[in-house]
Coordinates of all heavy atoms in Angstrom, one line a residue:
V1 N 91.8 101.0 85.4 CA 91.6 101.4 86.8 C 90.6 102.5 86.7 O 90.8 103.4 86.0 CB 92.9 101.9 87.4 CG1 92.6 102.3 88.9 CG2 93.9 100.8 87.4
S2 N 89.5 102.3 87.3 CA 88.4 103.3 87.4 C 88.8 104.6 88.0 O 89.8 104.6 88.8 CB 87.1 102.8 88.1 OG 86.7 101.6 87.5
Q3 N 88.2 105.7 87.6 CA 88.6 107.0 88.2 C 88.6 107.0 89.7 O 87.7 106.5 90.3 CB 87.7 108.1 87.6 CG 86.3 107.9 87.9 CD 85.5 109.0 87.1 OE1 86.0 109.8 86.3 NE2 84.2 109.0 87.4
S4 N 89.6 107.6 90.3 CA 89.7 107.7 91.7 C 89.7 106.4 92.5 O 89.3 106.3 93.7 CB 88.7 108.6 92.3 OG 88.7 109.9 91.8
R5 N 90.2 105.3 91.8 CA 90.3 104.0 92.4 C 91.6 103.5 92.3 O 92.5 104.1 91.8 CB 89.3 103.0 91.8 CG 87.9 103.4 91.7 CD 87.1 102.9 92.9 NE 85.7 103.3 92.8 CZ 85.0 103.3 93.7 NH1 85.4 103.0 95.0 NH2 83.7 103.6 93.6
Y6 N 91.9 102.2 92.7 CA 93.2 101.6 92.6 C 93.0 100.1 92.2 O 91.9 99.5 92.6 CB 94.1 101.8 93.8 CG 93.7 101.0 95.0 CD1 94.1 99.7 95.2 CD2 92.9 101.5 95.9 CE1 93.9 98.9 96.3 CE2 92.5 100.8 97.1 CZ 93.0 99.6 97.3 OH 92.6 98.8 98.4
G7 N 94.0 99.5 91.6 CA 94.1 98.1 91.4 C 95.4 97.5 92.0 O 96.4 98.3 92.2
E8 N 95.3 96.3 92.3 CA 96.5 95.7 93.0 C 96.8 94.3 92.4 O 95.8 93.6 92.2 CB 96.3 95.6 94.6 CG 97.5 95.0 95.3 CD 97.2 95.1 96.7 OE1 97.3 96.1 97.4 OE2 96.8 94.0 97.3
V9 N 98.1 94.0 92.2 CA 98.5 92.7 91.9 C 99.6 92.3 92.8 O 100.3 93.2 93.4 CB 99.0 92.6 90.4 CG1 98.0 92.9 89.3 CG2 100.2 93.6 90.1
T10 N 99.7 91.1 93.0 CA 100.8 90.5 93.9 C 101.7 89.6 93.2 O 101.3 88.9 92.1 CB 100.1 89.8 95.2 OG1 99.3 88.7 94.7 CG2 99.3 90.7 95.9
V11 N 102.9 89.5 93.7 CA 103.9 88.6 93.1 C 104.7 88.0 94.3 O 105.0 88.7 95.3 CB 104.8 89.4 92.1 CG1 105.6 90.5 92.9 CG2 105.8 88.5 91.5
G12 N 105.1 86.7 94.2 CA 105.8 86.0 95.2 C 107.3 86.4 95.1 O 107.9 86.2 94.0
I13 N 107.9 86.8 96.1 CA 109.3 87.1 96.3 C 109.9 86.4 97.5 O 109.6 86.8 98.6 CB 109.7 88.4 96.2 CG1 109.2 89.1 94.8 CG2 111.2 88.7 96.4 CD1 109.5 90.6 94.6
A14 N 110.6 85.3 97.3 CA 111.2 84.5 98.4 C 112.0 85.5 99.4 O 112.6 86.4 99.0 CB 112.1 83.4 97.9
N15 N 111.8 85.2 100.6 CA 112.5 85.8 101.8 C 112.1 87.3 102.0 O 112.7 88.0 102.8 CB 114.0 85.7 101.6 CG 114.5 84.3 101.6 OD1 113.9 83.4 102.3 ND2 115.4 84.0 100.7
A16 N 111.1 87.8 101.3 CA 110.7 89.2 101.6 C 109.9 89.2 102.9 O 109.0 88.3 103.1 CB 109.8 89.7 100.4
T17 N 110.2 90.2 103.7 CA 109.4 90.3 105.0 C 108.8 91.7 105.1 O 109.1 92.6 104.4 CB 110.3 90.1 106.2 OG1 111.4 91.2 106.2 CG2 111.0 88.8 106.2
E18 N 107.8 91.8 105.9 CA 106.9 93.1 106.0 C 107.8 94.3 106.3 O 107.4 95.4 106.0 CB 105.9 92.9 107.0 CG 104.8 92.0 106.6 CD 105.0 90.5 107.1 OE1 106.1 90.2 107.4 OE2 104.1 89.7 106.9
T19 N 109.0 94.2 106.8 CA 109.8 95.3 107.2 C 110.8 95.7 106.1 O 111.5 96.7 106.2 CB 110.6 95.1 108.5 OG1 111.4 93.9 108.4 CG2 109.6 94.8 109.7
N20 N 110.8 94.9 105.0 CA 111.7 95.2 103.9 C 111.2 96.3 103.1 O 110.1 96.4 102.7 CB 111.9 94.0 103.0 CG 112.6 92.9 103.7 OD1 112.3 91.7 103.4 ND2 113.6 93.1 104.5
P21 N 112.2 97.4 102.7 CA 111.7 98.4 101.7 C 111.7 97.8 100.4 O 112.3 96.8 100.1 CB 112.8 99.4 101.8 CG 114.0 98.9 102.7 CD 113.4 97.6 103.3
V22 N 110.8 98.3 99.5 CA 110.6 97.8 98.2 C 110.9 99.0 97.2 O 110.3 100.2 97.4 CB 109.1 97.3 98.0 CG1 108.9 96.9 96.5 CG2 108.8 96.2 99.0
I23 N 111.5 98.8 96.1 CA 111.7 99.8 95.1 C 111.1 99.2 93.8 O 111.2 98.0 93.5 CB 113.3 100.0 94.8 CG1 114.1 100.5 96.0 CG2 113.5 100.9 93.7 CD1 115.6 100.4 96.0
W24 N 110.3 100.0 93.1 CA 109.7 99.6 92.0 C 109.9 100.5 90.8 O 110.2 101.7 90.9 CB 108.2 99.5 92.2 CG 107.5 100.8 92.5 CD1 106.8 101.6 91.6 CD2 107.5 101.5 93.7 NE1 106.4 102.8 92.2 CE2 106.8 102.8 93.5 CE3 108.0 101.2 95.0 CZ2 106.5 103.6 94.6 CZ3 107.8 102.2 96.0 CH2 107.1 103.3 95.8
G25 N 109.9 100.0 89.6 CA 110.0 100.7 88.4 C 108.9 100.3 87.4 O 108.6 99.2 87.3
V26 N 108.4 101.4 86.8 CA 107.3 101.1 85.8 C 107.8 101.5 84.5 O 108.7 102.3 84.3 CB 106.0 102.0 86.2 CG1 105.5 101.6 87.5 CG2 106.4 103.5 86.2
P27 N 107.2 100.9 83.4 CA 107.6 101.2 82.1 C 107.3 102.7 81.7 O 106.3 103.3 82.2 CB 106.8 100.2 81.2 CG 105.7 99.8 82.1 CD 106.1 100.0 83.5
A28 N 107.9 103.2 80.7 CA 107.7 104.5 80.2 C 106.4 104.7 79.5 O 105.9 105.8 79.4 CB 108.8 104.9 79.1
T29 N 105.6 103.6 79.2 CA 104.4 103.7 78.5 C 103.2 103.8 79.3 O 102.1 103.8 78.9 CB 104.2 102.5 77.6 OG1 104.3 101.3 78.4 CG2 105.3 102.4 76.5
V30 N 103.4 104.0 80.7 CA 102.3 104.1 81.6 C 101.4 105.4 81.3 O 102.1 106.5 81.2 CB 102.8 104.0 83.0 CG1 101.7 104.4 84.1 CG2 103.4 102.7 83.4
A31 N 100.2 105.3 81.3 CA 99.3 106.4 81.1 C 99.5 107.5 82.2 O 99.7 107.2 83.4 CB 97.9 106.0 81.1
T32 N 99.4 108.8 81.7 CA 99.4 109.9 82.6 C 98.2 109.8 83.6 O 97.1 109.4 83.1 CB 99.3 111.2 81.9 OG1 100.4 111.3 81.0 CG2 99.3 112.5 82.8
G33 N 98.4 110.1 84.9 CA 97.3 110.0 85.8 C 97.3 108.7 86.7 O 96.6 108.5 87.6
L34 N 98.3 107.7 86.4 CA 98.5 106.6 87.1 C 99.7 106.7 88.0 O 100.8 107.2 87.5 CB 98.6 105.3 86.3 CG 97.4 105.0 85.3 CD1 97.7 103.7 84.6 CD2 96.2 104.8 86.2
V35 N 99.6 106.4 89.3 CA 100.7 106.5 90.3 C 100.7 105.1 91.0 O 99.8 104.5 91.3 CB 100.4 107.6 91.3 CG1 101.4 107.6 92.4 CG2 100.1 108.9 90.7
F36 N 102.0 104.7 91.1 CA 102.3 103.3 91.7 C 102.8 103.3 93.0 O 103.6 104.3 93.4 CB 103.1 102.5 90.6 CG 102.5 102.2 89.4 CD1 102.4 103.1 88.4 CD2 101.9 101.0 89.2 CE1 101.8 102.8 87.1 CE2 101.2 100.6 88.0 CZ 101.2 101.6 87.0
D37 N 102.6 102.3 93.8 CA 103.3 102.0 95.1 C 103.4 100.6 95.2 O 102.7 99.8 94.6 CB 102.3 102.6 96.2 CG 102.9 102.6 97.6 OD1 104.0 102.4 97.7 OD2 102.1 102.7 98.5
A38 N 104.4 100.2 96.0 CA 104.7 98.7 96.3 C 105.0 98.5 97.7 O 105.7 99.4 98.3 CB 105.8 98.2 95.4
R39 N 104.7 97.3 98.3 CA 105.0 97.0 99.7 C 105.1 95.5 99.8 O 104.4 94.8 99.0 CB 104.0 97.7 100.6 CG 102.6 97.1 100.4 CD 101.6 97.8 101.3 NE 100.2 97.5 101.2 CZ 99.6 96.3 100.9 NH1 100.3 95.3 100.7 NH2 98.3 96.2 100.9
V40 N 105.7 95.1 100.8 CA 105.6 93.6 101.1 C 104.3 93.4 101.9 O 104.2 94.0 103.0 CB 106.9 93.2 101.9 CG1 106.7 91.7 102.3 CG2 108.1 93.4 101.2
S41 N 103.4 92.8 101.4 CA 102.0 92.7 102.1 C 102.0 91.6 103.2 O 101.4 91.8 104.2 CB 100.9 92.5 101.0 OG 101.2 91.3 100.3
T42 N 102.6 90.5 102.9 CA 102.8 89.3 103.8 C 104.2 88.7 103.4 O 104.7 89.0 102.4 CB 101.7 88.3 103.7 OG1 101.7 87.8 102.4 CG2 100.3 88.9 104.1
A43 N 104.7 87.9 104.3 CA 105.9 87.3 104.1 C 106.0 86.6 102.7 O 105.0 85.8 102.4 CB 106.2 86.3 105.2
G44 N 106.9 87.0 101.9 CA 107.1 86.3 100.6 C 106.2 86.8 99.5 O 106.2 86.3 98.4
V45 N 105.4 87.9 99.8 CA 104.5 88.5 98.8 C 104.6 90.0 98.7 O 104.5 90.7 99.8 CB 103.0 88.1 99.1 CG1 102.1 88.7 98.1 CG2 102.8 86.6 99.2
V46 N 104.8 90.5 97.5 CA 104.9 91.9 97.2 C 103.6 92.3 96.5 O 103.3 91.7 95.6 CB 106.1 92.3 96.5 CG1 106.2 93.8 96.1 CG2 107.4 92.1 97.3
A47 N 103.0 93.5 97.0 CA 101.8 94.0 96.4 C 102.2 95.3 95.7 O 102.9 96.1 96.2 CB 100.7 94.3 97.4
L48 N 101.9 95.3 94.4 CA 102.0 96.5 93.5 C 100.7 97.2 93.3 O 99.8 96.5 92.7 CB 102.7 96.2 92.2 CG 102.9 97.3 91.2 CD1 104.0 98.3 91.8 CD2 103.4 96.8 89.9
R49 N 100.5 98.4 93.7 CA 99.2 99.1 93.6 C 99.3 100.2 92.5 O 100.4 100.9 92.5 CB 98.8 99.7 94.9 CG 98.1 98.7 95.9 CD 97.5 99.5 97.1 NE 96.9 98.5 98.0 CZ 96.4 98.8 99.1 NH1 96.4 100.1 99.6 NH2 95.9 97.9 99.8
C50 N 98.3 100.3 91.8 CA 98.2 101.3 90.7 C 97.0 102.3 91.0 O 95.8 101.8 91.1 CB 98.0 100.7 89.4 SG 97.8 101.9 88.1
F51 N 97.4 103.5 91.4 CA 96.3 104.4 91.8 C 95.9 105.3 90.6 O 96.9 105.8 89.9 CB 96.8 105.4 92.9 CG 97.0 104.6 94.1 CD1 98.3 104.1 94.4 CD2 96.1 104.5 95.2 CE1 98.6 103.4 95.6 CE2 96.4 103.8 96.3 CZ 97.7 103.3 96.5
N52 N 94.7 105.5 90.3 CA 94.2 106.4 89.3 C 93.8 107.7 89.9 O 93.0 107.8 90.8 CB 93.0 105.8 88.6 CG 92.5 106.7 87.4 OD1 92.9 107.9 87.3 ND2 91.6 106.2 86.7
V53 N 94.6 108.8 89.7 CA 94.5 110.0 90.4 C 93.7 111.1 89.6 O 93.8 112.3 89.9 CB 95.8 110.6 90.8 CG1 96.5 109.6 91.9 CG2 96.8 110.8 89.7
D54 N 93.2 110.8 88.4 CA 92.4 111.7 87.7 C 91.0 111.2 87.4 O 90.5 110.3 87.9 CB 93.2 112.1 86.4 CG 93.3 111.0 85.3 OD1 92.6 110.0 85.4 OD2 94.0 111.2 84.4
N55 N 90.3 111.9 86.5 CA 88.9 111.7 86.3 C 88.6 110.9 85.1 O 87.6 111.0 84.5 CB 88.1 113.0 86.3 CG 88.1 113.7 87.6 OD1 88.0 113.0 88.7 ND2 88.1 115.0 87.6
K56 N 89.5 110.0 84.7 CA 89.4 109.1 83.5 C 89.7 107.7 83.9 O 90.4 107.5 84.8 CB 90.4 109.5 82.4 CG 90.3 111.0 81.9 CD 91.3 111.2 80.9 CE 91.4 112.7 80.4 NZ 92.5 113.0 79.5
N57 N 89.1 106.7 83.2 CA 89.3 105.4 83.3 C 90.6 105.0 82.6 O 90.8 105.6 81.4 CB 88.2 104.5 82.9 CG 86.9 104.7 83.7 OD1 87.1 105.0 84.9 ND2 85.8 104.3 83.1
H58 N 91.5 104.3 83.2 CA 92.8 104.0 82.6 C 93.1 102.5 82.6 O 92.6 101.8 83.5 CB 93.9 104.6 83.2 CG 94.0 106.1 83.1 ND1 94.3 106.7 81.9 CD2 93.8 107.1 84.0 CE1 94.3 108.0 82.1 NE2 93.9 108.2 83.4
T59 N 93.8 101.9 81.7 CA 94.3 100.6 81.7 C 95.8 100.6 81.9 O 96.4 101.2 81.0 CB 93.9 99.8 80.4 OG1 92.5 99.8 80.3 CG2 94.4 98.4 80.5
A60 N 96.3 100.0 82.9 CA 97.7 100.0 83.3 C 98.5 99.2 82.1 O 99.6 99.5 81.7 CB 98.0 99.4 84.6
G61 N 97.8 98.1 81.6 CA 98.4 97.4 80.5 C 99.4 96.3 81.0 O 99.9 96.4 82.1
T62 N 99.6 95.4 80.1 CA 100.6 94.4 80.3 C 101.9 94.9 79.9 O 102.1 95.4 78.8 CB 100.3 93.2 79.4 OG1 99.0 92.7 79.8 CG2 101.4 92.1 79.7
A63 N 102.9 94.8 80.8 CA 104.3 95.3 80.6 C 105.1 94.7 81.7 O 104.7 94.0 82.5 CB 104.3 96.9 80.7
T64 N 106.5 95.0 81.6 CA 107.4 94.6 82.6 C 107.5 95.7 83.7 O 107.8 96.8 83.4 CB 108.7 94.2 82.0 OG1 108.6 93.3 81.0 CG2 109.7 93.9 83.0
Y65 N 107.2 95.3 84.9 CA 107.3 96.2 86.0 C 108.4 95.7 86.9 O 108.4 94.5 87.4 CB 106.0 96.2 86.9 CG 104.8 96.8 86.0 CD1 104.2 96.1 85.1 CD2 104.5 98.2 86.3 CE1 103.1 96.8 84.4 CE2 103.5 98.8 85.6 CZ 102.8 98.0 84.6 OH 101.8 98.6 83.9
R66 N 109.5 96.4 87.2 CA 110.6 96.0 88.0 C 110.3 96.2 89.5 O 109.8 97.2 89.9 CB 111.8 96.7 87.6 CG 113.1 96.3 88.3 CD 114.3 97.1 87.9 NE 115.5 96.4 88.2 CZ 116.2 95.8 87.3 NH1 116.0 95.9 86.1 NH2 117.3 95.1 87.8
I67 N 110.6 95.1 90.3 CA 110.4 95.2 91.6 C 111.6 94.7 92.4 O 112.1 93.6 92.1 CB 109.1 94.2 92.2 CG1 107.9 94.8 91.6 CG2 109.0 94.3 93.7 CD1 106.7 93.9 91.8
T68 N 112.1 95.4 93.2 CA 113.3 95.0 94.0 C 113.0 95.1 95.5 O 112.6 96.1 96.0 CB 114.5 95.9 93.7 OG1 114.8 95.9 92.2 CG2 115.8 95.5 94.4
V69 N 113.3 94.1 96.3 CA 113.1 94.1 97.7 C 114.6 94.1 98.3 O 115.4 93.3 98.1 CB 112.3 92.9 98.2 CG1 112.2 92.8 99.7 CG2 111.0 92.8 97.5
L70 N 114.7 95.1 99.3 CA 116.0 95.2 99.9 C 115.8 94.5 101.2 O 114.9 94.6 102.0 CB 116.2 96.8 100.2 CG 116.3 97.6 99.0 CD1 116.5 99.1 99.5 CD2 117.4 97.2 98.1
N71 N 116.8 93.6 101.5 CA 116.8 92.7 102.6 C 118.1 93.0 103.4 O 119.2 92.6 103.0 CB 116.7 91.3 102.1 CG 116.4 90.4 103.4 OD1 116.7 90.7 104.5 ND2 115.8 89.2 103.1
Y72 N 117.9 93.5 104.5 CA 119.2 93.9 105.3 C 119.4 92.7 106.3 O 118.5 92.3 107.0 CB 118.9 95.2 106.1 CG 118.7 96.4 105.2 CD1 117.5 96.9 105.1 CD2 119.8 96.9 104.5 CE1 117.3 98.1 104.2 CE2 119.6 98.0 103.7 CZ 118.4 98.6 103.5 OH 118.2 99.6 102.7
A73 N 120.8 92.4 106.4 CA 121.0 91.3 107.3 C 121.3 91.9 108.7 O 121.7 93.0 108.9 CB 122.2 90.5 106.8

């Protein structure tokens, strides 16, 4: 992720709707200076964004990122 920029990946999660809250967990190996956010971007799709908040280029890397969508009945 370039300095002062963000990257985004999406993952399909059945029954997720735009009003559902999302909880995310990142691995312990994430570089300092990266901040994450997650949201349901469209029905059935969750977007995980990685923001670079410092003046260095970073690679978020391949790892397991936990995403949980809360669905209230």
Side-chain angles (χ1 to χ4, degrees):
V1 181
S2 299
Q3 58 188 8
S4 302
R5 304 270 185 200
Y6 72 89
E8 181 175 280
V9 296
T10 58
V11 61
I13 298 183
N15 301 319
T17 63
E18 289 90 344
T19 58
N20 294 144
V22 178
I23 300 169
W24 64 97
V26 297
T29 57
V30 170
T32 301
L34 297 180
V35 177
F36 290 83
D37 187 17
R39 66 183 173 36
V40 178
S41 57
T42 60
V45 178
V46 171
L48 178 67
R49 281 188 177 175
C50 176
F51 297 89
N52 183 345
V53 296
D54 68 15
N55 292 323
K56 299 176 186 174
N57 291 337
H58 293 289
T59 301
T62 301
T64 300
Y65 295 80
R66 183 181 198 106
I67 298 173
T68 303
V69 177
L70 304 176
N71 191 339
Y72 299 106

